[in-house]
Amino acid sequence: MKTTQYNPSSLEVQFAHAIEDLQVQIEKHLPDNEVIKVENNISEDNPLVKFYLLDKDGDPHEVVLKVIQIPDRF
């Protein structure tokens, strides 16, 4: 399927939702951190998923994933 609309593309939006849904599985790979909240902003040109974390010392951290689909190459 050729992508006719970017920023955001439907694939970017679907991918961002998939990452958000994997919160529990991602947390399992971060033994010294707890995922406090996940924010999914799909209204951006390129959707972003922000993870709010709390480490074992009680310090807050944020990790931001920006989802970018490169133009199709046909």
Side-chain angles (χ1 to χ4, degrees):
M1 173 178 95
K2 290 186 180 183
T3 304
T4 57
Q5 177 186 338
Y6 291 92
N7 298 336
S9 72
S10 62
L11 183 57
E12 290 172 335
V13 171
Q14 292 167 355
F15 208 92
H17 282 298
I19 292 169
E20 181 182 26
D21 289 345
L22 292 172
Q23 172 183 343
V24 173
Q25 289 85 348
I26 291 170
E27 188 174 37
K28 289 178 185 176
H29 294 278
L30 306 171
D32 295 331
N33 291 273
E34 175 186 356
V35 177
I36 302 301
K37 177 173 86 167
V38 178
E39 215 172 78
N40 193 345
N41 190 344
I42 61 170
S43 62
E44 298 276 328
D45 270 354
N46 300 108
L48 67 90
V49 183
K50 185 184 285 190
F51 284 79
Y52 294 88
L53 308 167
L54 194 64
D55 69 19
K56 66 180 179 180
D57 296 328
D59 298 325
H61 301 280
E62 295 177 22
V63 175
V64 178
L65 302 171
K66 193 141 183 117
V67 181
I68 301 170
Q69 179 184 0
I70 61 172
D72 296 338
R73 297 179 187 171
F74 293 101

